[in-house]
Amino acid sequence: MTLESGRQESVWRWNSCTPGAAAHARAALRRTLAQLDLPGEVVSDAVLAASELIANAIEHACGPYEMRLRRTDAGLTCEIQDGDPHIPGRPRSLVAAPLGSELQGSDSTRDDLAESLPERGRGMSIVNQLTSGCWGFRPMGSEAKIAWMGIPGSGSDDS
């Protein structure tokens, strides 16, 4: 399978009544990324990060939902579209970084941050770490939004 620059491909669509939607979405993404011959670690990290975006969409927004992959010059972007136009704020503790750069701070600093977070609400910190800060939200008209994340290690010179 190839995904040319500028193209997008729908990976999975579901609604609020779809049984096991999150598990099916993760499995569909894993299969699609494996077909693109990405390294196993890249696939695992991308599926974990996308899993957090999927869970947030299911918990905080109405459907229908759609997960897509988009190839850009920088690599692959995974998008989760939901039926809620509200764009959540980005927590101040999460510092954005360009795709391919590393988060500043030692592993122990990140571990300390993770331990200080409440039991719920760690998901976006996980997304932030796994995507090197390359994630966000954008509106899709007045009835939907997209949560997106870059997939590090999927750059056009990496694949």
Side-chain angles (χ1 to χ4, degrees):
M1 167 185 232
T2 60
L3 187 60
E4 297 171 15
S5 186
R7 297 211 23 166
Q8 72 178 20
E9 179 172 320
S10 180
V11 175
W12 182 255
R13 291 184 184 132
W14 70 99
N15 63 44
S16 55
C17 297
T18 305
H24 288 296
R26 287 190 304 269
L29 180 60
R30 184 174 296 283
R31 277 191 310 272
T32 302
L33 293 175
Q35 289 174 356
L36 292 171
D37 292 327
L38 295 176
E41 183 176 307
V42 170
V43 172
S44 293
D45 286 353
V47 170
L48 177 57
S51 181
E52 295 297 336
L53 297 180
I54 292 163
N56 281 351
I58 291 171
E59 182 175 347
H60 299 291
C62 58
Y65 310 94
E66 182 175 3
M67 179 171 42
R68 294 183 292 265
L69 286 177
R70 179 182 307 274
R71 172 73 73 186
T72 67
D73 292 338
L76 282 174
T77 300
C78 179
E79 302 175 338
I80 313 298
Q81 182 175 330
D82 64 48
D84 181 359
H86 175 73
I87 304 287
R90 189 178 193 124
R92 284 184 223 197
S93 63
L94 302 180
V95 179
L99 182 62
S101 68
E102 294 181 10
L103 287 176
Q104 298 299 313
S106 67
D107 289 336
S108 62
T109 303
R110 285 186 226 131
D111 291 343
D112 292 343
L113 173 63
E115 288 175 13
S116 70
L117 291 171
E119 210 37 52
R120 294 185 42 82
R122 293 183 180 186
M124 295 315 293
S125 292
I126 292 168
V127 172
N128 194 63
Q129 185 170 353
L130 292 173
T131 65
S132 298
C134 185
W135 62 274
F137 298 90
R138 71 174 184 271
M140 280 292 287
S142 62
E143 297 182 8
K145 73 173 167 302
I146 289 177
W148 62 269
M149 61 175 221
I151 301 177
S154 67
S156 38
D157 14 338
D158 297 333
S159 40

